[in-house]
Amino acid sequence: MPNLMELKYQVSNEDFTRAGEASSDVKKKLKQLGVSPDVIRRVAIALYEGEINMVIHAYGGEITVTISEEQITMTLADRGPGIPDIDKAMQAGFSTAPDNVRNLGFGAGMGLPNMKKNSDTIDISTEIGVGTTVVMTINL
Amino acid sequence: MTVGEIKNLLDCEVITGEDLLDVEVRTACGSDMMSDVLAFAKTSCALLTGLCNPQVIRTADMMDIVCIIFVRGKKPDEAMIEMAKENNLPILSTGHRMFSACGLLYESGLRGGKMDA
Ligand SMILES: Nc1ncnc2c1ncn2[C@@H]1O[C@H](COP(=O)(O)OP(=O)(O)OP(=O)(O)O)[C@@H](O)[C@H]1O
Ligand SMILES: [Mg+2]
């Protein structure tokens, strides 16, 4: 099945104020395509949580979003420390975020559970010291 | 309740969105943690917060929040106001603290929305 559209974004970890620009752009593009508001909302939430994680827990990376007739696939590949225990990281409330991140309004340990809740599939592959890749799909 | 009614109830200054005071607000959410807002906010929701940084506007954009109310007299900077304008998002600022601001709105009938299972 050919993809109707592919979007790519480089995410930098240097400027926290810019975190979320990619997600915001994806949201706009989906609106232009006439995707249903419910799907847009789920994509926006899942992607933004993932983008923030790339910035606060890793050193940025790349986001690729592909849209086909059937689904939206979001791939977030970062260069970062990796996740030692994925099951633990998926638990609501588990966070290793430092105080400075919490002062910015994040680090409640809600992101990964929220990404799971809003997507139809989520797959995390991670290697310590190399990076983490999160792939989420949402059916259209 | 409308954005304009919230403005009156909380004695707010309208920072941006003077033309959006008729927008309908069905629920509200009060938090300084954007993580919580992303996990729990409902549709047609107003956000009360004491956190004042660009991610508040971004979170509101992602969640289709209809209005932001900064408590304790917090005011956004120019960049944040620009972002809000681009997203047609009204921003209000009230001198009330979080608890009082939420209480005043609750007293006037605004609710937090149903809890998820
Ligand atoms: N891309 C990543 N690279 C390395 N570690 C990660 C990554 N994403 C998540 N983690 C780890 O998993 C934990 C849980 O992530 P989750 O997104 O659920 O919560 P959080 O980011 O800490 O807080 P919140 O999302 O509520 O702001 C993080 O604290 C971190 O230790
Ligand atoms: Mg997170």
Side-chain angles (χ1 to χ4, degrees), chain A residues 49-50 52-53 56-57 106-112 115, chain B residues 35:
Chain A
E49 291 275 19
I52 295 276
N53 278 356
I56 62 181
H57 304 300
F106 293 89
M110 301 300 293
L112 286 171
M115 288 157 74
Chain B
S35 305

Side-chain angles (χ1 to χ4, degrees), chain A residues 8 21 46 49 53-55 65 72 78 87 89 96 98 101 106-107 115 117 124 129 133:
Chain A
K8 257 192 201 306
E21 280 184 355
E49 291 275 19
N53 278 356
M54 292 171 92
V55 174
V65 177
I72 297 175
D78 70 49
D87 287 339
T96 59
V101 166
F106 293 89
M115 288 157 74
K117 184 176 108 188
I124 304 174
T133 298

Side-chain angles (χ1 to χ4, degrees), chain A residues 16 19 27 41 48 105 114, chain B residues 34 38 41 53 55 61 63-64:
Chain A
F16 182 74
K27 190 181 175 208
R41 186 177 157 93
Y48 181 55
N114 205 18
Chain B
M34 293 305 107
L38 284 162
N53 71 35
Q55 296 308 330
D61 175 21
M63 299 298 289
D64 295 320

Side-chain angles (χ1 to χ4, degrees), chain B residues 76-85:
Chain B
D77 63 17
E78 273 310 314
M80 290 167 67
I81 295 173
E82 266 320 300
M83 271 170 80
K85 279 188 182 152

Side-chain angles (χ1 to χ4, degrees), chain A residues 16-21 23-24 27-28 41 44-45 48-49 52 102-108 110 114 117, chain B residues 32-36 38-43 51 53-56 58-64 86-87 116:
Chain A
F16 182 74
T17 62
R18 297 191 54 189
E21 280 184 355
S23 306
S24 180
K27 190 181 175 208
K28 279 196 195 93
R41 186 177 157 93
I45 294 170
Y48 181 55
E49 291 275 19
I52 295 276
R102 229 154 262 152
N103 291 339
L104 293 165
F106 293 89
M110 301 300 293
N114 205 18
K117 184 176 108 188
Chain B
D32 290 352
M33 285 301 274
M34 293 305 107
S35 305
D36 286 343
L38 284 162
F40 301 117
K42 305 288 187 259
T43 44
L51 184 74
N53 71 35
Q55 296 308 330
V56 176
R58 195 86 71 193
T59 300
D61 175 21
M62 292 302 129
M63 299 298 289
D64 295 320
E86 274 170 37
N87 294 312
D116 290 340

